[in-house]
Amino acid sequence: MRILGFRNIKIDSKVQLHIKNQQLVIDNGELIHIPLEDINCILIENQSVSVSSYMLQTFANYGIAFYVCDEKHLPNAVLLPLVRHSRHYKILKAQMNLGKPLQKRLWQQVIVQKIKNQALCLKLLSLEGSEELLKMTKEVQSGDRTHVEAKAAAFYFKNLYGVGFSRGDDNIVNAALNYGYAIIRGIIARSIVCYGLEPSIGIFHSSELNSYNLADDMIEAFRPLVDLYVASHFDLAEVDFALTPEIKRGLFGITNYDMSVKGEKRIVSNCVDMLVASYSGAIQGKRTELDLPELMQLQVHSYE
């Protein structure tokens, strides 16, 4: 499996795209050449940009996640490679045969880390509630059968945005959260298929109408990163809640931030790959612990 790229490209103006010599060429009056092997994901927001079937095929061959947006400029689809692993059937069988006890323990790990990251988010924002959330992590049982996650989420968002806040409200905070979550979800889905996993077979999520149940499981520990960014940049008091191109560029750039895995700072895409790889190892009986990301202060990854 090739090493996944690191560049995240957002295109929000009318440009011409083509591929030449294993490079993506962007023509916006001047030619910009970007090696395909360096690209992690591409988001096309401008509906006048044309993409050929050859280009889509090449993106898939390189394992590049390719997003398109709807008329509201929100990501609504992502192209993912279908065959990126030499032993896909072996991995598929392992997913389908995953025993319930291990499945429940893995979900417990995900929820514990999610709540820990929510606690860290509040602490980094100098808000109250982090200690209470950390106490809740001790209550999470195998499979989270007592639904501590829901209890923690209600407490967390109340402390993050106030008692009257609801995730269903139409405001700039929710619009920004939804945009950021969609970007991270696509990165996770890309990694899942690159490791030969079937994205519709989740750990906890199991909707027959959802092709990305596993991505919706794995995103849980990454959500507080989006929460931290949004809480640091937007206020519920803002009357204008339209996501401007500048705002969306910032949200898309969340993929360039660091989180911590095993005490080491790593870019989000690398944290995703480590989590997916650890899950692949767990379902094959090679390990029982997931490599889950830990939230840290907002910091753009630096390549040395």
Side-chain angles (χ1 to χ4, degrees):
M1 184 178 296
R2 75 175 183 85
I3 298 175
L4 300 174
F6 60 88
R7 294 195 184 189
N8 303 302
I9 301 168
K10 180 176 181 290
I11 298 175
D12 53 17
S13 58
K14 186 176 181 179
V15 298
Q16 299 294 321
L17 302 177
H18 64 273
I19 291 174
K20 183 178 181 181
N21 298 328
Q22 287 75 55
Q23 294 184 325
L24 174 65
V25 182
I26 304 174
D27 184 355
N28 63 351
E30 60 178 304
L31 299 181
I32 301 171
H33 297 258
I34 304 174
L36 291 169
E37 64 181 2
D38 289 351
I39 301 175
N40 183 41
C41 63
I42 300 170
L43 183 143
I44 304 290
E45 187 178 303
N46 191 299
Q47 296 184 343
S48 65
V49 175
S50 297
V51 179
S52 68
S53 58
Y54 170 73
M55 192 174 296
L56 295 176
Q57 169 197 320
T58 304
F59 291 159
N61 288 339
Y62 275 83
I64 296 169
F66 179 78
Y67 301 84
V68 293
C69 295
D70 60 19
E71 66 280 357
K72 295 181 180 179
H73 305 282
L74 294 174
N76 70 341
V78 58
L79 173 76
L80 300 168
L82 281 177
V83 182
R84 295 289 302 164
H85 197 280
S86 60
R87 293 176 178 158
H88 177 72
Y89 183 57
K90 176 184 177 182
I91 302 297
L92 179 60
K93 287 195 297 182
Q95 276 186 272
M96 296 180 69
N97 295 329
L98 179 62
K100 285 292 182 182
L102 177 57
Q103 182 180 359
K104 291 180 178 180
R105 288 197 299 272
L106 294 177
W107 183 239
Q108 178 186 28
Q109 292 175 41
V110 171
I111 295 308
V112 167
Q113 190 59 49
K114 176 185 182 179
I115 299 173
K116 284 183 177 179
N117 284 345
Q118 289 174 331
L120 284 168
C121 181
L122 294 181
K123 185 175 182 180
L124 290 168
L125 292 167
S126 299
L127 297 173
E128 296 181 354
S130 60
E131 292 301 321
E132 288 82 352
L133 285 171
L134 288 177
K135 290 177 183 176
M136 290 186 197
T137 64
K138 309 297 183 183
E139 303 172 11
V140 181
Q141 300 177 17
S142 178
D144 190 27
R145 57 179 176 267
T146 56
H147 308 292
V148 178
E149 178 193 14
K151 175 184 173 183
F155 177 85
Y156 168 67
F157 279 110
K158 181 182 72 175
N159 282 271
L160 192 58
Y161 292 117
V163 177
F165 177 78
S166 170
R167 278 287 289 128
D169 292 342
D170 192 8
N171 54 51
I172 192 169
V173 166
N174 279 320
L177 289 174
N178 292 339
Y179 192 95
Y181 292 156
I183 296 300
I184 299 296
R185 184 179 188 249
I187 294 291
I188 295 172
R190 187 283 308 267
S191 185
I192 285 170
V193 296
C194 285
Y195 276 88
L197 293 158
E198 169 52 53
S200 66
I201 303 176
I203 307 170
F204 173 77
H205 290 87
S206 58
S207 171
E208 294 181 356
L209 302 177
N210 185 1
S211 297
Y212 300 105
N213 285 310
L214 186 55
D216 288 336
D217 290 329
M218 293 188 173
I219 195 177
E220 298 297 354
F222 291 91
R223 287 183 187 274
L225 173 63
V226 179
D227 302 340
L228 178 59
Y229 179 90
V230 171
S232 300
H233 288 78
F234 307 106
D235 194 309
L236 280 172
E238 294 182 43
V239 176
D240 184 5
F241 57 81
L243 294 183
T244 64
E246 182 181 1
I247 288 173
K248 284 180 279 191
R249 277 194 293 273
L251 289 165
F252 189 66
I254 290 175
T255 55
N256 294 317
Y257 281 82
D258 280 331
M259 295 185 80
S260 174
V261 180
K262 295 181 176 179
E264 294 186 13
K265 291 190 297 184
R266 298 177 181 273
I267 193 170
V268 167
S269 58
N270 189 227
C271 294
V272 168
D273 290 339
M274 290 186 69
L275 172 55
V276 175
S278 67
Y279 178 71
S280 178
I283 65 173
Q284 295 180 73
K286 299 176 181 178
R287 58 187 299 163
T288 57
E289 299 294 320
L290 296 175
D291 290 334
L292 288 155
E294 181 175 293
L295 187 66
M296 52 184 290
Q297 188 62 267
L298 292 176
Q299 176 180 307
V300 176
H301 185 76
S302 174
Y303 291 94
E304 299 179 359

